[in-house]
Amino acid sequence: MTDLGHVAIRHLELEQFRAHVALTLDVPPAGLRIHGPNGSGKTTILEAIQLLSTTRPRRGALDNDLIHHESGRDLGLQPYARVVGVFDRAGAVARVEAFIQRGVRGNTARKTLKVGERARRAADVVGLIPTVSFAPDDLELVLGTPSIRRRFLDVLLSQTDKQYLRCLGKYAKILAQRNGLLRRVDALGPTADQFVFWDEQLVALGSYLVAARVRAVARLAECAAARFELLAPGIGEFQLAYVSTLDAPAPWWRALVNEPNDTFDAAQRVGVMFERRLRESGVQERARGMTVVGPHRDDISVALGGRELARFGSRGQQRVAVIAVKLAEIDVISSTTSLRPIFLIDDVLSELDMHRRRALLQAVAAEQCQLLVTSTEAELLEDPALTHTGELELG
Amino acid sequence: MRPSKLTAEPVSRLVDELGRLPGIGPKSASRLTYYLLRASREQALALAEAILELKERVFLCSTCFNITETDPCALCLDPTRDRSIICVVEEPLDALALERTGEYRGLYHVLHGAISPVDGIGPDKLRIRELLERVERERPQEVILATNPNIEGDATAMYIARQLIPRGITTSRPASGLPVGGDLEYADEITLGRALVGRRAL
């Protein structure tokens, strides 16, 4: 834990970004407590930092939604939004800017990203400023659908593995095309040779995703188990495991974590399995008109002492589990990127009892992560762990 | 543009029509319309006739499926072209771009699209069957698959290559890599990676 680079936002500017017409703020190294009534734009500040980190708005939102609807009107311009962040990153200063402008036609929006003064592609910006975000919908990590857990993994791995990000984007396109082909299967439909290209690509890209996820979940599981034990000692071992539609025996998956030198090696092995499963599922996928095996159908199992937490755990245990996973995210990002991520807590403190709240804030402070935290109630932000953070009241 | 009593019906009609063209928004469409309103009758007629002629006199060459006003097209008939090599492209504009290089002396074959199952475009919707028949007929030494270097273009090239190789036809794909005059340090990893894979001995 010694040589970790510090990452912190120093200065943030929002222009026509959601409800903020113009907002500039300086953020102290320890972070910021943000409070104010509902609708005052607290979440938006965190979302802006998330946008600069991941290049994407928060879950379920589109780039277009970020634009203040009346912006640009008095200037005769198309509506637009701009976010600029000045960050400390391992001793250097990084200026990241996102500019989004609505298109002339339809609901399109164009996003341009800059690092320093130079335009960059999204893939080159993701991972530059690592963040861990903890918002109310993260509480669904245990109870929600598999897609929420897959997205959690995708966001985490995209920040730490460039190859993953590239494969992820391309996999989605190949999958859509392959499913398009499967939907047209009928008497006159596509022949086997039309599948060759899509199958090859699906396996090559998907194998990397599965291999990277299996290895990341193994690391995450270890850290989360340790975190859980500290938060709730002695109630059982907290277990995370990657559950793949490429079902193989447990020892095979374990070997995948321990033996190969790197993810590429591991992906080679997964590829053999993926290809076999794809062949086996041929009848089923033609009947259903979709690809039924692959990383897009996988999940993470969450258990306490061998029992599925979503079904058998108490509400409190499920909460602790989510906190443990979020803290483990810091551990994984720190160990793979050698950077301390910025930690963003949006509105979840009110969902936790005082004991858990304190434990969460203390753990983040102990990691020396910069912490930005929002709440509707200022009292929830009065915590010794937040002594050195600044305060921002929105109204 | 929102309707207004200030605008005569023929004006708003032309604005609407021009606004449907690619790359032209409502502002440009009005500017062009008002320009034409002031332009001479001859100039406006010349434009109208050019558009009509485009639709009436231009069709597809029955050999290479490029746009032409004679069949076969001038390029297919040109005795100075190298008939042992066919370059397959997605769109007529791609053939034009290759022509501008001045490096290519062979023939073309225009597919009019790329395989994209999501959009319902399979090999049967493209001029692939015609390409295979043509290859059987003309027996070229080489077929260059110059579809775009994206997912759909790659899929199309591979699909065609799998049909041609068993027929004993040499197939190739243009190298992709660093732009001339570019800086190595600014190239993205994918481009740089492809450039390295496709490197050449000096």
Side-chain angles (χ1 to χ4, degrees), chain A residues 104-105 118 121 166 170 173-174 176-177 181 193-194 196-198, chain B residues 19 24 26 116-118 123 151-152 155 158-159 162-163 186 188 190:
Chain A
V104 176
R105 255 170 285 207
R118 196 185 299 151
R121 295 173 317 152
R166 196 173 307 143
K170 218 171 158 199
K173 286 184 194 153
I174 297 283
Q177 291 285 19
L181 202 54
D193 59 349
Q194 287 190 41
V196 176
F197 175 82
W198 308 113
Chain B
I24 298 196
S116 177
V118 162
I151 289 173
E152 290 76 21
M158 187 181 145
Y159 178 80
R162 283 175 50 84
Q163 314 283 319
Y186 296 155
D188 64 278
I190 299 174

PDB file of all heavy atoms in Angstrom, chain A residues 104-105 118 121 166 170 173-174 176-177 181 193-194 196-198, chain B residues 19 24 26 116-118 123 151-152 155 158-159 162-163 186 188 190:
ATOM      1  N   VAL A 104     -28.781  18.332 -34.757  1.00  0.00           N
ATOM      2  CA  VAL A 104     -29.854  19.118 -35.364  1.00  0.00           C
ATOM      3  C   VAL A 104     -31.130  18.284 -35.456  1.00  0.00           C
ATOM      4  O   VAL A 104     -32.222  18.755 -35.234  1.00  0.00           O
ATOM      5  CB  VAL A 104     -29.419  19.586 -36.776  1.00  0.00           C
ATOM      6  CG1 VAL A 104     -30.576  20.313 -37.459  1.00  0.00           C
ATOM      7  CG2 VAL A 104     -28.204  20.485 -36.676  1.00  0.00           C
ATOM      8  N   ARG A 105     -30.941  17.021 -35.780  1.00  0.00           N
ATOM      9  CA  ARG A 105     -32.086  16.156 -35.992  1.00  0.00           C
ATOM     10  C   ARG A 105     -32.211  15.112 -34.889  1.00  0.00           C
ATOM     11  O   ARG A 105     -31.207  14.615 -34.386  1.00  0.00           O
ATOM     12  CB  ARG A 105     -31.948  15.424 -37.328  1.00  0.00           C
ATOM     13  CG  ARG A 105     -32.866  16.004 -38.380  1.00  0.00           C
ATOM     14  CD  ARG A 105     -32.533  15.443 -39.728  1.00  0.00           C
ATOM     15  NE  ARG A 105     -31.307  16.055 -40.250  1.00  0.00           N
ATOM     16  CZ  ARG A 105     -31.055  16.174 -41.540  1.00  0.00           C
ATOM     17  NH1 ARG A 105     -31.881  15.699 -42.418  1.00  0.00           N
ATOM     18  NH2 ARG A 105     -29.941  16.737 -41.956  1.00  0.00           N
ATOM     19  N   ARG A 118      -5.975  18.253 -26.064  1.00  0.00           N
ATOM     20  CA  ARG A 118      -6.101  17.369 -27.219  1.00  0.00           C
ATOM     21  C   ARG A 118      -7.337  16.480 -27.143  1.00  0.00           C
ATOM     22  O   ARG A 118      -7.637  15.902 -26.102  1.00  0.00           O
ATOM     23  CB  ARG A 118      -4.855  16.495 -27.325  1.00  0.00           C
ATOM     24  CG  ARG A 118      -4.748  15.843 -28.696  1.00  0.00           C
ATOM     25  CD  ARG A 118      -3.591  14.895 -28.775  1.00  0.00           C
ATOM     26  NE  ARG A 118      -2.312  15.540 -28.543  1.00  0.00           N
ATOM     27  CZ  ARG A 118      -1.266  14.912 -28.021  1.00  0.00           C
ATOM     28  NH1 ARG A 118      -1.356  13.662 -27.667  1.00  0.00           N
ATOM     29  NH2 ARG A 118      -0.134  15.547 -27.855  1.00  0.00           N
ATOM     30  N   ARG A 121     -10.261   9.777 -27.842  1.00  0.00           N
ATOM     31  CA  ARG A 121     -11.386   8.863 -27.945  1.00  0.00           C
ATOM     32  C   ARG A 121     -11.744   8.368 -26.553  1.00  0.00           C
ATOM     33  O   ARG A 121     -10.889   8.322 -25.668  1.00  0.00           O
ATOM     34  CB  ARG A 121     -11.015   7.676 -28.829  1.00  0.00           C
ATOM     35  CG  ARG A 121     -10.742   8.068 -30.287  1.00  0.00           C
ATOM     36  CD  ARG A 121     -10.223   6.881 -31.021  1.00  0.00           C
ATOM     37  NE  ARG A 121      -9.253   6.191 -30.177  1.00  0.00           N
ATOM     38  CZ  ARG A 121      -8.991   4.900 -30.231  1.00  0.00           C
ATOM     39  NH1 ARG A 121      -9.626   4.148 -31.087  1.00  0.00           N
ATOM     40  NH2 ARG A 121      -8.094   4.350 -29.445  1.00  0.00           N
ATOM     41  N   ARG A 166     -12.012  -2.694 -24.985  1.00  0.00           N
ATOM     42  CA  ARG A 166     -12.075  -2.852 -26.433  1.00  0.00           C
ATOM     43  C   ARG A 166     -12.918  -4.079 -26.801  1.00  0.00           C
ATOM     44  O   ARG A 166     -13.783  -4.020 -27.666  1.00  0.00           O
ATOM     45  CB  ARG A 166     -10.646  -3.020 -26.957  1.00  0.00           C
ATOM     46  CG  ARG A 166     -10.490  -2.813 -28.423  1.00  0.00           C
ATOM     47  CD  ARG A 166      -9.016  -2.831 -28.792  1.00  0.00           C
ATOM     48  NE  ARG A 166      -8.250  -1.896 -28.003  1.00  0.00           N
ATOM     49  CZ  ARG A 166      -7.017  -2.108 -27.555  1.00  0.00           C
ATOM     50  NH1 ARG A 166      -6.410  -3.236 -27.799  1.00  0.00           N
ATOM     51  NH2 ARG A 166      -6.390  -1.199 -26.851  1.00  0.00           N
ATOM     52  N   LYS A 170     -16.748  -4.350 -28.824  1.00  0.00           N
ATOM     53  CA  LYS A 170     -16.832  -5.111 -30.063  1.00  0.00           C
ATOM     54  C   LYS A 170     -17.724  -6.349 -29.884  1.00  0.00           C
ATOM     55  O   LYS A 170     -18.466  -6.724 -30.795  1.00  0.00           O
ATOM     56  CB  LYS A 170     -15.416  -5.527 -30.493  1.00  0.00           C
ATOM     57  CG  LYS A 170     -15.235  -5.452 -31.995  1.00  0.00           C
ATOM     58  CD  LYS A 170     -13.795  -5.635 -32.417  1.00  0.00           C
ATOM     59  CE  LYS A 170     -13.764  -6.083 -33.869  1.00  0.00           C
ATOM     60  NZ  LYS A 170     -12.490  -6.715 -34.245  1.00  0.00           N
ATOM     61  N   LYS A 173     -21.354  -5.564 -30.409  1.00  0.00           N
ATOM     62  CA  LYS A 173     -21.726  -5.424 -31.821  1.00  0.00           C
ATOM     63  C   LYS A 173     -21.828  -6.788 -32.500  1.00  0.00           C
ATOM     64  O   LYS A 173     -22.772  -7.054 -33.245  1.00  0.00           O
ATOM     65  CB  LYS A 173     -20.682  -4.583 -32.558  1.00  0.00           C
ATOM     66  CG  LYS A 173     -20.776  -3.110 -32.221  1.00  0.00           C
ATOM     67  CD  LYS A 173     -19.794  -2.315 -33.061  1.00  0.00           C
ATOM     68  CE  LYS A 173     -19.650  -0.913 -32.495  1.00  0.00           C
ATOM     69  NZ  LYS A 173     -18.354  -0.327 -32.804  1.00  0.00           N
ATOM     70  N   ILE A 174     -20.829  -7.639 -32.240  1.00  0.00           N
ATOM     71  CA  ILE A 174     -20.836  -8.967 -32.856  1.00  0.00           C
ATOM     72  C   ILE A 174     -22.059  -9.751 -32.393  1.00  0.00           C
ATOM     73  O   ILE A 174     -22.742 -10.412 -33.178  1.00  0.00           O
ATOM     74  CB  ILE A 174     -19.544  -9.743 -32.476  1.00  0.00           C
ATOM     75  CG1 ILE A 174     -18.305  -9.028 -33.021  1.00  0.00           C
ATOM     76  CG2 ILE A 174     -19.611 -11.187 -32.928  1.00  0.00           C
ATOM     77  CD1 ILE A 174     -18.062  -9.211 -34.493  1.00  0.00           C
ATOM     78  N   ALA A 176     -24.959  -8.600 -31.373  1.00  0.00           N
ATOM     79  CA  ALA A 176     -26.180  -8.077 -31.998  1.00  0.00           C
ATOM     80  C   ALA A 176     -26.307  -8.612 -33.423  1.00  0.00           C
ATOM     81  O   ALA A 176     -27.388  -9.019 -33.855  1.00  0.00           O
ATOM     82  CB  ALA A 176     -26.151  -6.550 -31.996  1.00  0.00           C
ATOM     83  N   GLN A 177     -25.186  -8.629 -34.153  1.00  0.00           N
ATOM     84  CA  GLN A 177     -25.213  -9.128 -35.535  1.00  0.00           C
ATOM     85  C   GLN A 177     -25.520 -10.625 -35.561  1.00  0.00           C
ATOM     86  O   GLN A 177     -26.292 -11.098 -36.389  1.00  0.00           O
ATOM     87  CB  GLN A 177     -23.863  -8.876 -36.222  1.00  0.00           C
ATOM     88  CG  GLN A 177     -23.584  -7.407 -36.497  1.00  0.00           C
ATOM     89  CD  GLN A 177     -24.393  -6.864 -37.656  1.00  0.00           C
ATOM     90  OE1 GLN A 177     -25.399  -7.435 -38.059  1.00  0.00           O
ATOM     91  NE2 GLN A 177     -23.976  -5.719 -38.185  1.00  0.00           N
ATOM     92  N   LEU A 181     -28.726 -12.674 -37.172  1.00  0.00           N
ATOM     93  CA  LEU A 181     -28.645 -13.823 -38.077  1.00  0.00           C
ATOM     94  C   LEU A 181     -29.521 -14.970 -37.549  1.00  0.00           C
ATOM     95  O   LEU A 181     -30.239 -15.621 -38.309  1.00  0.00           O
ATOM     96  CB  LEU A 181     -27.180 -14.263 -38.170  1.00  0.00           C
ATOM     97  CG  LEU A 181     -26.740 -15.055 -39.384  1.00  0.00           C
ATOM     98  CD1 LEU A 181     -27.094 -14.327 -40.662  1.00  0.00           C
ATOM     99  CD2 LEU A 181     -25.219 -15.278 -39.318  1.00  0.00           C
ATOM    100  N   ASP A 193     -22.239 -21.435 -43.317  1.00  0.00           N
ATOM    101  CA  ASP A 193     -21.034 -20.653 -43.611  1.00  0.00           C
ATOM    102  C   ASP A 193     -21.227 -19.174 -43.320  1.00  0.00           C
ATOM    103  O   ASP A 193     -20.265 -18.434 -43.199  1.00  0.00           O
ATOM    104  CB  ASP A 193     -20.554 -20.881 -45.057  1.00  0.00           C
ATOM    105  CG  ASP A 193     -21.625 -20.510 -46.083  1.00  0.00           C
ATOM    106  OD1 ASP A 193     -22.770 -20.288 -45.663  1.00  0.00           O
ATOM    107  OD2 ASP A 193     -21.292 -20.469 -47.275  1.00  0.00           O
ATOM    108  N   GLN A 194     -22.474 -18.746 -43.172  1.00  0.00           N
ATOM    109  CA  GLN A 194     -22.686 -17.348 -42.801  1.00  0.00           C
ATOM    110  C   GLN A 194     -22.395 -17.103 -41.325  1.00  0.00           C
ATOM    111  O   GLN A 194     -22.251 -15.967 -40.890  1.00  0.00           O
ATOM    112  CB  GLN A 194     -24.124 -16.925 -43.108  1.00  0.00           C
ATOM    113  CG  GLN A 194     -24.366 -16.759 -44.589  1.00  0.00           C
ATOM    114  CD  GLN A 194     -25.712 -16.121 -44.860  1.00  0.00           C
ATOM    115  OE1 GLN A 194     -26.120 -15.209 -44.180  1.00  0.00           O
ATOM    116  NE2 GLN A 194     -26.397 -16.638 -45.859  1.00  0.00           N
ATOM    117  N   VAL A 196     -19.751 -18.495 -39.719  1.00  0.00           N
ATOM    118  CA  VAL A 196     -18.334 -18.704 -39.392  1.00  0.00           C
ATOM    119  C   VAL A 196     -17.684 -17.461 -38.798  1.00  0.00           C
ATOM    120  O   VAL A 196     -17.101 -17.506 -37.723  1.00  0.00           O
ATOM    121  CB  VAL A 196     -17.553 -19.179 -40.640  1.00  0.00           C
ATOM    122  CG1 VAL A 196     -16.076 -19.298 -40.318  1.00  0.00           C
ATOM    123  CG2 VAL A 196     -18.103 -20.495 -41.134  1.00  0.00           C
ATOM    124  N   PHE A 197     -17.831 -16.333 -39.497  1.00  0.00           N
ATOM    125  CA  PHE A 197     -17.172 -15.106 -39.039  1.00  0.00           C
ATOM    126  C   PHE A 197     -17.674 -14.695 -37.657  1.00  0.00           C
ATOM    127  O   PHE A 197     -16.899 -14.422 -36.749  1.00  0.00           O
ATOM    128  CB  PHE A 197     -17.420 -13.975 -40.039  1.00  0.00           C
ATOM    129  CG  PHE A 197     -16.873 -12.644 -39.594  1.00  0.00           C
ATOM    130  CD1 PHE A 197     -15.535 -12.320 -39.775  1.00  0.00           C
ATOM    131  CD2 PHE A 197     -17.694 -11.714 -38.969  1.00  0.00           C
ATOM    132  CE1 PHE A 197     -15.034 -11.101 -39.363  1.00  0.00           C
ATOM    133  CE2 PHE A 197     -17.196 -10.490 -38.551  1.00  0.00           C
ATOM    134  CZ  PHE A 197     -15.864 -10.181 -38.748  1.00  0.00           C
ATOM    135  N   TRP A 198     -19.013 -14.650 -37.494  1.00  0.00           N
ATOM    136  CA  TRP A 198     -19.585 -14.188 -36.216  1.00  0.00           C
ATOM    137  C   TRP A 198     -19.205 -15.122 -35.084  1.00  0.00           C
ATOM    138  O   TRP A 198     -18.904 -14.670 -33.979  1.00  0.00           O
ATOM    139  CB  TRP A 198     -21.113 -14.049 -36.335  1.00  0.00           C
ATOM    140  CG  TRP A 198     -21.527 -13.220 -37.515  1.00  0.00           C
ATOM    141  CD1 TRP A 198     -22.189 -13.653 -38.618  1.00  0.00           C
ATOM    142  CD2 TRP A 198     -21.268 -11.818 -37.729  1.00  0.00           C
ATOM    143  NE1 TRP A 198     -22.370 -12.607 -39.497  1.00  0.00           N
ATOM    144  CE2 TRP A 198     -21.813 -11.477 -38.984  1.00  0.00           C
ATOM    145  CE3 TRP A 198     -20.631 -10.838 -36.975  1.00  0.00           C
ATOM    146  CZ2 TRP A 198     -21.741 -10.190 -39.515  1.00  0.00           C
ATOM    147  CZ3 TRP A 198     -20.562  -9.552 -37.493  1.00  0.00           C
ATOM    148  CH2 TRP A 198     -21.110  -9.241 -38.753  1.00  0.00           C
TER     149      TRP A 198
ATOM    150  N   GLY B  19     -33.514  19.577 -47.182  1.00  0.00           N
ATOM    151  CA  GLY B  19     -33.203  19.194 -45.803  1.00  0.00           C
ATOM    152  C   GLY B  19     -33.123  17.686 -45.617  1.00  0.00           C
ATOM    153  O   GLY B  19     -32.591  17.209 -44.618  1.00  0.00           O
ATOM    154  N   ILE B  24     -27.082  18.024 -44.803  1.00  0.00           N
ATOM    155  CA  ILE B  24     -27.726  19.334 -44.922  1.00  0.00           C
ATOM    156  C   ILE B  24     -28.804  19.477 -43.865  1.00  0.00           C
ATOM    157  O   ILE B  24     -29.767  18.712 -43.834  1.00  0.00           O
ATOM    158  CB  ILE B  24     -28.321  19.526 -46.337  1.00  0.00           C
ATOM    159  CG1 ILE B  24     -27.179  19.482 -47.349  1.00  0.00           C
ATOM    160  CG2 ILE B  24     -29.090  20.848 -46.420  1.00  0.00           C
ATOM    161  CD1 ILE B  24     -27.520  20.012 -48.701  1.00  0.00           C
ATOM    162  N   PRO B  26     -31.542  22.114 -41.543  1.00  0.00           N
ATOM    163  CA  PRO B  26     -32.543  23.109 -41.916  1.00  0.00           C
ATOM    164  C   PRO B  26     -31.926  24.464 -42.309  1.00  0.00           C
ATOM    165  O   PRO B  26     -32.413  25.101 -43.244  1.00  0.00           O
ATOM    166  CB  PRO B  26     -33.413  23.243 -40.671  1.00  0.00           C
ATOM    167  CG  PRO B  26     -32.866  22.335 -39.650  1.00  0.00           C
ATOM    168  CD  PRO B  26     -31.772  21.533 -40.233  1.00  0.00           C
ATOM    169  N   SER B 116     -24.771  -7.339 -42.833  1.00  0.00           N
ATOM    170  CA  SER B 116     -25.149  -6.838 -41.513  1.00  0.00           C
ATOM    171  C   SER B 116     -26.475  -7.463 -41.107  1.00  0.00           C
ATOM    172  O   SER B 116     -27.538  -6.931 -41.397  1.00  0.00           O
ATOM    173  CB  SER B 116     -25.266  -5.308 -41.545  1.00  0.00           C
ATOM    174  OG  SER B 116     -25.706  -4.852 -40.283  1.00  0.00           O
ATOM    175  N   PRO B 117     -26.421  -8.620 -40.442  1.00  0.00           N
ATOM    176  CA  PRO B 117     -27.651  -9.345 -40.107  1.00  0.00           C
ATOM    177  C   PRO B 117     -28.655  -8.500 -39.331  1.00  0.00           C
ATOM    178  O   PRO B 117     -29.860  -8.653 -39.512  1.00  0.00           O
ATOM    179  CB  PRO B 117     -27.152 -10.519 -39.255  1.00  0.00           C
ATOM    180  CG  PRO B 117     -25.741 -10.721 -39.695  1.00  0.00           C
ATOM    181  CD  PRO B 117     -25.221  -9.361 -40.032  1.00  0.00           C
ATOM    182  N   VAL B 118     -28.164  -7.583 -38.471  1.00  0.00           N
ATOM    183  CA  VAL B 118     -29.075  -6.740 -37.693  1.00  0.00           C
ATOM    184  C   VAL B 118     -29.992  -5.934 -38.612  1.00  0.00           C
ATOM    185  O   VAL B 118     -31.173  -5.738 -38.330  1.00  0.00           O
ATOM    186  CB  VAL B 118     -28.274  -5.790 -36.775  1.00  0.00           C
ATOM    187  CG1 VAL B 118     -29.137  -4.641 -36.304  1.00  0.00           C
ATOM    188  CG2 VAL B 118     -27.726  -6.553 -35.588  1.00  0.00           C
ATOM    189  N   PRO B 123     -25.818 -12.134 -47.465  1.00  0.00           N
ATOM    190  CA  PRO B 123     -25.088 -12.197 -48.728  1.00  0.00           C
ATOM    191  C   PRO B 123     -26.014 -12.102 -49.943  1.00  0.00           C
ATOM    192  O   PRO B 123     -25.637 -11.558 -50.979  1.00  0.00           O
ATOM    193  CB  PRO B 123     -24.410 -13.565 -48.683  1.00  0.00           C
ATOM    194  CG  PRO B 123     -24.391 -13.944 -47.261  1.00  0.00           C
ATOM    195  CD  PRO B 123     -25.550 -13.283 -46.606  1.00  0.00           C
ATOM    196  N   ILE B 151     -16.420  -4.031 -38.533  1.00  0.00           N
ATOM    197  CA  ILE B 151     -16.957  -5.374 -38.293  1.00  0.00           C
ATOM    198  C   ILE B 151     -17.697  -5.905 -39.514  1.00  0.00           C
ATOM    199  O   ILE B 151     -17.457  -7.025 -39.967  1.00  0.00           O
ATOM    200  CB  ILE B 151     -17.889  -5.365 -37.056  1.00  0.00           C
ATOM    201  CG1 ILE B 151     -17.056  -5.182 -35.789  1.00  0.00           C
ATOM    202  CG2 ILE B 151     -18.690  -6.655 -36.964  1.00  0.00           C
ATOM    203  CD1 ILE B 151     -17.875  -4.979 -34.534  1.00  0.00           C
ATOM    204  N   GLU B 152     -18.597  -5.098 -40.077  1.00  0.00           N
ATOM    205  CA  GLU B 152     -19.409  -5.558 -41.201  1.00  0.00           C
ATOM    206  C   GLU B 152     -18.545  -5.799 -42.445  1.00  0.00           C
ATOM    207  O   GLU B 152     -18.738  -6.788 -43.163  1.00  0.00           O
ATOM    208  CB  GLU B 152     -20.514  -4.542 -41.518  1.00  0.00           C
ATOM    209  CG  GLU B 152     -21.614  -4.473 -40.461  1.00  0.00           C
ATOM    210  CD  GLU B 152     -21.195  -3.732 -39.201  1.00  0.00           C
ATOM    211  OE1 GLU B 152     -20.233  -2.930 -39.266  1.00  0.00           O
ATOM    212  OE2 GLU B 152     -21.807  -3.963 -38.133  1.00  0.00           O
ATOM    213  N   ALA B 155     -16.595  -8.970 -41.933  1.00  0.00           N
ATOM    214  CA  ALA B 155     -17.467 -10.141 -42.089  1.00  0.00           C
ATOM    215  C   ALA B 155     -17.696 -10.432 -43.569  1.00  0.00           C
ATOM    216  O   ALA B 155     -17.659 -11.582 -44.005  1.00  0.00           O
ATOM    217  CB  ALA B 155     -18.799  -9.899 -41.378  1.00  0.00           C
ATOM    218  N   MET B 158     -14.539 -11.815 -45.226  1.00  0.00           N
ATOM    219  CA  MET B 158     -14.257 -13.192 -44.865  1.00  0.00           C
ATOM    220  C   MET B 158     -15.240 -14.145 -45.531  1.00  0.00           C
ATOM    221  O   MET B 158     -14.856 -15.224 -45.980  1.00  0.00           O
ATOM    222  CB  MET B 158     -14.308 -13.362 -43.358  1.00  0.00           C
ATOM    223  CG  MET B 158     -13.858 -14.749 -42.989  1.00  0.00           C
ATOM    224  SD  MET B 158     -13.928 -15.043 -41.250  1.00  0.00           S
ATOM    225  CE  MET B 158     -14.396 -16.766 -41.308  1.00  0.00           C
ATOM    226  N   TYR B 159     -16.501 -13.737 -45.604  1.00  0.00           N
ATOM    227  CA  TYR B 159     -17.510 -14.583 -46.241  1.00  0.00           C
ATOM    228  C   TYR B 159     -17.138 -14.833 -47.698  1.00  0.00           C
ATOM    229  O   TYR B 159     -17.168 -15.965 -48.186  1.00  0.00           O
ATOM    230  CB  TYR B 159     -18.888 -13.927 -46.145  1.00  0.00           C
ATOM    231  CG  TYR B 159     -19.960 -14.735 -46.842  1.00  0.00           C
ATOM    232  CD1 TYR B 159     -20.527 -15.832 -46.214  1.00  0.00           C
ATOM    233  CD2 TYR B 159     -20.356 -14.424 -48.142  1.00  0.00           C
ATOM    234  CE1 TYR B 159     -21.489 -16.594 -46.842  1.00  0.00           C
ATOM    235  CE2 TYR B 159     -21.323 -15.181 -48.780  1.00  0.00           C
ATOM    236  CZ  TYR B 159     -21.886 -16.271 -48.127  1.00  0.00           C
ATOM    237  OH  TYR B 159     -22.821 -17.034 -48.766  1.00  0.00           O
ATOM    238  N   ARG B 162     -14.071 -17.101 -48.150  1.00  0.00           N
ATOM    239  CA  ARG B 162     -14.352 -18.513 -47.932  1.00  0.00           C
ATOM    240  C   ARG B 162     -15.000 -19.169 -49.155  1.00  0.00           C
ATOM    241  O   ARG B 162     -14.988 -20.383 -49.300  1.00  0.00           O
ATOM    242  CB  ARG B 162     -15.234 -18.701 -46.703  1.00  0.00           C
ATOM    243  CG  ARG B 162     -14.459 -18.556 -45.396  1.00  0.00           C
ATOM    244  CD  ARG B 162     -15.396 -18.628 -44.209  1.00  0.00           C
ATOM    245  NE  ARG B 162     -16.275 -19.784 -44.288  1.00  0.00           N
ATOM    246  CZ  ARG B 162     -15.947 -20.999 -43.879  1.00  0.00           C
ATOM    247  NH1 ARG B 162     -14.761 -21.219 -43.360  1.00  0.00           N
ATOM    248  NH2 ARG B 162     -16.795 -21.984 -43.981  1.00  0.00           N
ATOM    249  N   GLN B 163     -15.614 -18.348 -50.017  1.00  0.00           N
ATOM    250  CA  GLN B 163     -16.195 -18.887 -51.245  1.00  0.00           C
ATOM    251  C   GLN B 163     -15.139 -18.973 -52.354  1.00  0.00           C
ATOM    252  O   GLN B 163     -15.203 -19.855 -53.203  1.00  0.00           O
ATOM    253  CB  GLN B 163     -17.333 -17.988 -51.758  1.00  0.00           C
ATOM    254  CG  GLN B 163     -18.314 -17.534 -50.706  1.00  0.00           C
ATOM    255  CD  GLN B 163     -19.297 -18.618 -50.331  1.00  0.00           C
ATOM    256  OE1 GLN B 163     -19.785 -19.345 -51.195  1.00  0.00           O
ATOM    257  NE2 GLN B 163     -19.561 -18.745 -49.044  1.00  0.00           N
ATOM    258  N   TYR B 186       0.841   9.371 -31.889  1.00  0.00           N
ATOM    259  CA  TYR B 186      -0.577   9.725 -31.826  1.00  0.00           C
ATOM    260  C   TYR B 186      -1.493   8.617 -32.313  1.00  0.00           C
ATOM    261  O   TYR B 186      -2.698   8.724 -32.222  1.00  0.00           O
ATOM    262  CB  TYR B 186      -0.852  10.998 -32.646  1.00  0.00           C
ATOM    263  CG  TYR B 186      -0.162  12.210 -32.104  1.00  0.00           C
ATOM    264  CD1 TYR B 186       0.150  13.286 -32.918  1.00  0.00           C
ATOM    265  CD2 TYR B 186       0.187  12.274 -30.756  1.00  0.00           C
ATOM    266  CE1 TYR B 186       0.788  14.402 -32.412  1.00  0.00           C
ATOM    267  CE2 TYR B 186       0.832  13.376 -30.243  1.00  0.00           C
ATOM    268  CZ  TYR B 186       1.128  14.441 -31.076  1.00  0.00           C
ATOM    269  OH  TYR B 186       1.748  15.534 -30.579  1.00  0.00           O
ATOM    270  N   ASP B 188      -3.652   5.269 -32.411  1.00  0.00           N
ATOM    271  CA  ASP B 188      -4.266   4.486 -31.348  1.00  0.00           C
ATOM    272  C   ASP B 188      -3.727   3.059 -31.407  1.00  0.00           C
ATOM    273  O   ASP B 188      -3.143   2.645 -32.401  1.00  0.00           O
ATOM    274  CB  ASP B 188      -5.790   4.510 -31.484  1.00  0.00           C
ATOM    275  CG  ASP B 188      -6.240   3.843 -32.754  1.00  0.00           C
ATOM    276  OD1 ASP B 188      -6.216   4.512 -33.806  1.00  0.00           O
ATOM    277  OD2 ASP B 188      -6.577   2.654 -32.700  1.00  0.00           O
ATOM    278  N   ILE B 190      -5.097   0.125 -31.699  1.00  0.00           N
ATOM    279  CA  ILE B 190      -5.619  -0.823 -32.689  1.00  0.00           C
ATOM    280  C   ILE B 190      -4.912  -0.610 -34.031  1.00  0.00           C
ATOM    281  O   ILE B 190      -4.418  -1.553 -34.650  1.00  0.00           O
ATOM    282  CB  ILE B 190      -7.138  -0.650 -32.870  1.00  0.00           C
ATOM    283  CG1 ILE B 190      -7.838  -0.916 -31.541  1.00  0.00           C
ATOM    284  CG2 ILE B 190      -7.661  -1.585 -33.944  1.00  0.00           C
ATOM    285  CD1 ILE B 190      -9.319  -0.638 -31.563  1.00  0.00           C
TER     286      ILE B 190
END
